[in-house]
């Protein structure tokens, strides 16, 4: 007898959509067929639904350990399950940061005790401070390496400092290009990707020092003037040059600017290992939405112009941008109240990632097959998870997301699973929602309600192929 049968649905991959039933045994996809293979302990009726390999969110800041008043891994991964996500890749800038094997083991144990869905982990690059640790971390299955380009660090705990005082004795200043180049050389030896937060901090600092907010129509336009697209463009240009020489797989995180799409496109056409992601807020909001959503729109890099948004969509449809992720970065409502120049950047986005993208299918911006590519298959391939995750294939983990493209719902922050209730999308009515989430054969969300307790597990990324 099968453990689970998912029947009467339409299976969707990046290349095709077809009617088939899925049979699950021992947490794995055992059969995908139009034949009746007999009884199962549990049946999930997928009539009228699209059946996808479980969605993967590669960019999640759960604040655990660290700022638990903002979020915990238990809450963020429950939000993931509500949003149709079966695997998250947790960012490394926790307390303590995931920058060496000891901290990796501690954080893995911490997250394992709380995970509602499966998870992989990033490692943090600190330059000469921990280059020696990066190769050892690779052996423990980290999914990728993260570098916050241009940010200062506290000497005492390696926490990021967004606006640092050069006279503070407890500060490591932003790394110079020589140290950054060393990171590229080291990560290249692992074969895994180096994800960069691409903002030119020295340019941002200079522009911010001379800004006069009263000269702009809105405070958001003043903020954009401090962080124009050239701040992203110049870092990406340098990073591509370093990737070309070192052979490192460069990955641009949360792409926001049209110029970055053009640079990545050109690099890929030259055969360089350069990929890039973007996020729903860049695809669905522009600077004009500030008047509607207020300070909740603030993120780094910032939401930009309509022309940037249009180029991001073009890049996504063309495959220049590999995938879409949430950049879930929660703060409390109190922290997000006030001047844009003082409040933190980021919002709760893990539950809205999938609905915003499936709504975009109904709007004709992408196809249902694009969803499989940008939320399942490409994330699994890029982060070394495709031996278990991301594909509707026999032998893969039975991670399944059912999407009902006819189901509509209004986003309500009060129903979020996250500790914080902060979103620029509160009140947005969307059509197309995940209505069931299956994790290794266990139904964890059904009919927009969570089921059961946490049962998520760590997923080690397989070794990258060396060329």
């Amino acid at each position: 007898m099968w453990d689970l049968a998912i029947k009467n649905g339409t299976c969707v991959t990046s290349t095709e959509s077809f009617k088939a039933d899925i049979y699950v045994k021992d947490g794995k996809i055992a059969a995908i067929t139009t034949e009746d293979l007999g009884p199962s302990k549990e049946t999930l009726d997928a009539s009228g639904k699209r059946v996808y390999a479980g969605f993967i969110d590669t960019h999640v800041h759960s604040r655990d350990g660290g700022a638990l008043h903002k979020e915990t891994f238990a809450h963020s991964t429950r939000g993931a399950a509500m949003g149709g996500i079966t695997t998250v890749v947790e960012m490394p800038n926790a307390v303590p940061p995931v920058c060496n094997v000891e901290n990796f083991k501690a954080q893995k144990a911490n997250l394992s005790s709380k995970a509602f869905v499966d998870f992989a982990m990033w490692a943090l690059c600190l330059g000469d401070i921990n280059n020696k640790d990066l190769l050892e971390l690779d052996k423990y299955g980290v999914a990728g390496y993260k570098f916050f380009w241009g940010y200062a660090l506290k000497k005492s705990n390696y926490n990021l400092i967004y606006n640092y005082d050069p006279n503070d004795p407890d500060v490591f200043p932003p790394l110079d290009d020589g140290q950054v180049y060393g990171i590229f050389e080291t990560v290249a030896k692992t074969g895994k990707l180096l994800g960069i937060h691409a903002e030119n901090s020295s340019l941002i600092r200079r522009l911010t020092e001379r800004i006069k907010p009263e000269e702009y129509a809105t405070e958001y336009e003043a903020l954009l003037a401090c962080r124009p697209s050239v701040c992203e463009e110049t870092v990406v240009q340098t990073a591509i040059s370093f990737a070309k020489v070192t052979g490192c797989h460069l990955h641009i995180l949360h792409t926001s600017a049209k110029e970055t799409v053009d640079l990545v496109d050109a690099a890929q056409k030259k055969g360089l290992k350069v990929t890039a992601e973007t996020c729903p807020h860049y695809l669905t909001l522009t600077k004009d939405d500030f008047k509607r959503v207020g300070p909740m729109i603030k993120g780094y890099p910032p939401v930009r112009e309509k022309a940037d948004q249009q180029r991001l969509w073009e890049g996504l449809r063309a495959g220049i941008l590999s995938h879409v992720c949430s950049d879930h970065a929660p703060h409390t409502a109190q922290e997000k109240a006030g001047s844009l120049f003082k409040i933190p950047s980021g919002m709760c986005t893990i539950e809205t990632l999938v609905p915003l993208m499936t709504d975009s299918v109904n709007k004709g911006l992408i196809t249902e097959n694009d969803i499989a590519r940008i939320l399942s298959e490409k994330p699994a391939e890029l982060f070394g998870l495709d031996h278990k995750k991301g594909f509707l294939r026999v032998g893969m983990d039975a991670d399944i997301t059912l999407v009902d493209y006819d189901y509509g719902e209004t986003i309500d922050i009060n129903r979020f699973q996250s500790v914080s209730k902060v979103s620029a999308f509160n009140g947005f009515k969307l059509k197309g929602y995940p209505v069931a989430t299956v994790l290794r054969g266990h139904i964890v969300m059904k009919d927009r309600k969570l089921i059961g307790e946490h049962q998520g597990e760590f997923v080690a990324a397989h070794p990258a192929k060396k060329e």
Side-chain angles (χ1 to χ4, degrees):
M1 180 177 288
W2 305 103
D3 295 329
L4 174 68
I6 302 171
K7 311 200 80 170
N8 308 314
T10 299
C11 297
V12 183
T13 72
S14 62
T15 57
E16 60 180 335
S17 302
F18 57 94
K19 297 288 289 186
D21 299 334
I22 296 177
Y23 292 86
V24 176
K25 188 71 174 178
D26 298 328
K28 301 287 185 181
I29 297 175
I32 303 175
T33 180
T34 55
E35 299 179 15
D36 186 346
L37 299 185
S40 59
K41 297 175 184 176
E42 194 171 12
T43 299
L44 188 58
D45 184 10
S47 298
K49 315 297 191 300
R50 296 298 189 266
V51 181
Y52 288 94
F55 297 139
I56 301 170
D57 188 350
T58 65
H59 196 139
V60 178
H61 299 270
S62 296
R63 315 297 193 197
D64 192 337
L68 297 180
H69 68 287
K70 301 175 189 277
E71 186 69 297
T72 74
F73 201 60
H75 287 83
S76 67
T77 52
R78 288 172 69 86
M82 275 297 295
I85 295 162
T86 55
T87 304
V88 301
V89 189
E90 181 67 12
M91 281 293 173
N93 54 320
V95 180
V98 181
C99 60
N100 56 45
V101 170
E102 179 183 0
N103 290 2
F104 169 86
K105 290 179 177 179
Q107 181 68 325
K108 176 184 171 184
N110 173 43
L111 301 182
S112 295
S113 70
K114 304 172 183 178
F116 199 84
V117 299
D118 286 353
F119 68 97
M121 293 168 61
W122 287 85
L124 185 63
C125 296
L126 302 172
D128 293 346
I129 295 171
N130 81 324
N131 267 350
K132 64 184 184 301
D133 297 297
L134 300 184
L135 297 180
E136 190 69 17
L137 281 164
D138 180 39
K139 299 176 184 177
Y140 284 82
V142 296
Y145 295 87
K146 171 73 176 285
F147 174 51
F148 289 86
W149 198 302
Y151 284 96
L153 301 168
K154 287 186 72 68
K155 289 182 179 179
S156 54
N157 59 13
Y158 301 144
N159 279 4
L160 298 172
I161 302 174
Y162 296 93
N163 299 297
Y164 80 101
D165 179 357
N167 298 316
D168 186 343
D170 189 28
V171 168
F172 288 116
L175 304 186
D176 60 33
D177 282 356
Q179 283 206 60
V180 176
Y181 187 83
I183 291 173
F184 276 74
E185 289 180 310
T186 304
V187 175
K189 294 175 183 177
T190 73
K192 292 178 178 175
L193 59 79
L194 173 61
I196 66 164
H197 181 118
E199 287 192 293
N200 188 322
S201 63
S202 59
L203 180 55
I204 290 169
R205 187 164 58 251
R206 173 59 65 92
L207 295 175
T208 302
E209 287 172 352
R210 69 188 193 195
I211 199 74
K212 295 180 180 178
E214 65 273 9
E215 296 180 355
Y216 295 86
T218 68
E219 192 181 28
Y220 193 75
E221 289 186 2
L223 184 74
L224 275 183
C226 299
R227 293 174 179 265
S229 58
V230 69
C231 295
E232 182 172 298
E233 180 185 8
T234 50
V235 170
V236 172
Q237 285 176 325
T238 301
I240 289 174
S241 296
F242 287 179
K244 177 182 178 181
V245 176
T246 63
C248 182
H249 179 169
L250 169 66
H251 183 71
I252 313 302
L253 300 167
H254 39 51
T255 301
S256 69
K258 62 184 185 298
E259 291 86 357
T260 298
V261 181
D262 295 339
L263 288 168
V264 171
D265 185 22
Q268 291 173 348
K269 287 175 179 175
K270 293 176 182 177
L272 301 180
K273 289 189 288 186
V274 178
T275 52
E277 66 189 38
T278 192
C279 308
H281 35 289
Y282 303 118
L283 294 166
T284 57
L285 301 173
T286 70
K287 68 174 187 179
D288 297 330
D289 288 294
F290 172 67
K291 295 177 182 178
R292 175 168 53 150
V293 304
M296 300 304 170
I297 198 175
K298 183 184 176 182
Y300 288 159
V303 169
R304 301 190 185 278
E305 310 275 350
K306 185 68 175 178
D308 295 289
Q309 184 185 91
Q310 291 173 340
R311 184 64 178 126
L312 290 172
W313 277 115
E314 292 170 0
L316 191 62
R317 287 189 288 265
I320 300 166
L321 300 179
S322 57
H323 67 286
V324 180
C325 51
S326 71
D327 193 10
H328 181 67
H331 302 283
T332 67
Q334 292 78 14
E335 289 170 331
K336 290 289 283 188
S339 168
L340 287 177
F341 286 88
K342 295 180 180 179
I343 64 173
S345 66
M347 67 183 98
C348 300
T349 48
I350 200 163
E351 282 188 50
T352 55
L353 163 62
V354 175
L356 285 164
M357 298 314 298
T358 47
D359 180 74
S360 297
V361 174
N362 278 317
K363 288 183 168 67
L365 293 165
I366 48 175
T367 69
E368 65 177 28
N369 303 99
D370 288 329
I371 291 292
R373 172 174 60 89
I374 64 178
L375 292 179
S376 300
E377 297 177 10
K378 281 298 181 182
E381 289 177 349
L382 282 175
F383 288 84
L385 307 176
D386 52 339
H387 58 307
K388 288 186 174 184
K389 310 289 188 183
F391 291 85
L392 289 179
R393 292 176 185 161
V394 171
M396 301 292 283
D397 282 357
D399 293 354
I400 307 293
T401 304
L402 268 58
V403 172
D404 185 343
Y405 280 102
D406 294 322
Y407 177 82
E409 191 174 293
T410 299
I411 295 174
D412 181 355
I413 56 173
N414 296 309
R415 296 204 300 264
F416 278 5
Q417 296 295 319
S418 294
V419 172
S420 300
K421 316 294 183 186
V422 169
S423 173
F425 300 106
N426 189 41
F428 281 43
K429 184 171 178 56
L430 306 178
K431 184 179 179 183
Y433 263 83
V435 293
T437 307
V438 179
L439 177 68
R440 287 179 278 105
H442 302 285
I443 301 172
V444 296
M445 186 272 281
K446 184 179 180 181
D447 298 330
R448 304 292 300 145
K449 295 179 181 178
L450 293 182
I451 299 173
E453 300 301 322
H454 74 83
Q455 52 191 316
E457 298 177 352
F458 172 71
V459 184
H462 63 69
K465 296 177 181 178
K466 309 295 196 303
E467 295 184 0

